[in-house]
Amino acid sequence: SKNHTGHNQSYKNHRNGIKRTRRPKKMSMAGMNCKFVRNQAYAKRGMKCTPEEKTARLAAQKEAQKRMEEKKATEKANRLQELEEMKEAEKLKAANKQAKKDAAAKKA
């Protein structure tokens, strides 16, 4: 005896038309990095603010950026100074070594 048939099934399927699947309005977060998803949610919540808060935040951000630039500039100047001092020390060391060699050569 017959257990299965596909007779009439494609006719029934096409009666109402075979439609494309509907695109989801919001992408699924299933299978995503949960740490990223959680951080994204916090970031979205943090973005919600009034225009006054936004201007205050921007001002604070600019101030922080200015401070960082100044700090970078001072650190760079300090580093250059340190390098210069190291070069001077090496020159002095080399000169002392040479002087000792010359003194030893004069004695001998």
Side-chain angles (χ1 to χ4, degrees), residues 3 15 23 28 35 43 47 62 64 67 74 89 92-93 108:
N3 289 325
R15 290 255 306 179
R23 300 268 310 181
S28 170
K35 191 174 180 183
M47 298 266 284
K62 291 236 188 296
R67 279 198 304 266
T74 55
L92 283 171
K93 196 173 180 182

Side-chain angles (χ1 to χ4, degrees), residues 10-19:
S10 62
Y11 172 77
K12 281 163 55 178
N13 289 335
H14 285 84
R15 290 255 306 179
N16 295 318
I18 294 177
K19 297 181 181 75

Side-chain angles (χ1 to χ4, degrees), residues 37-87:
V37 172
R38 192 179 308 120
N39 188 55
Q40 190 181 42
Y42 293 141
K44 281 179 184 173
R45 266 185 239 134
M47 298 266 284
K48 291 179 183 174
C49 62
T50 61
E52 297 89 40
E53 283 178 337
K54 195 170 188 178
T55 54
R57 282 182 185 186
L58 278 171
Q61 202 174 14
K62 291 236 188 296
E63 190 65 37
Q65 183 68 31
K66 205 179 286 180
R67 279 198 304 266
M68 280 302 294
E69 292 296 328
E70 288 170 4
K71 189 177 176 185
K72 251 188 203 175
T74 55
E75 283 178 358
K76 188 174 182 180
N78 289 344
R79 181 73 181 136
L80 287 173
Q81 191 177 357
E82 283 177 20
L83 288 171
E84 198 65 37
E85 287 171 2
M86 283 174 64
K87 276 185 184 176

Side-chain angles (χ1 to χ4, degrees), residues 5 13 22 26-27 29 38-39 70 79 99 107:
T5 180
N13 289 335
R22 296 183 72 177
K26 191 176 172 186
M27 196 173 86
M29 297 290 180
R38 192 179 308 120
N39 188 55
E70 288 170 4
R79 181 73 181 136
K107 276 187 179 179

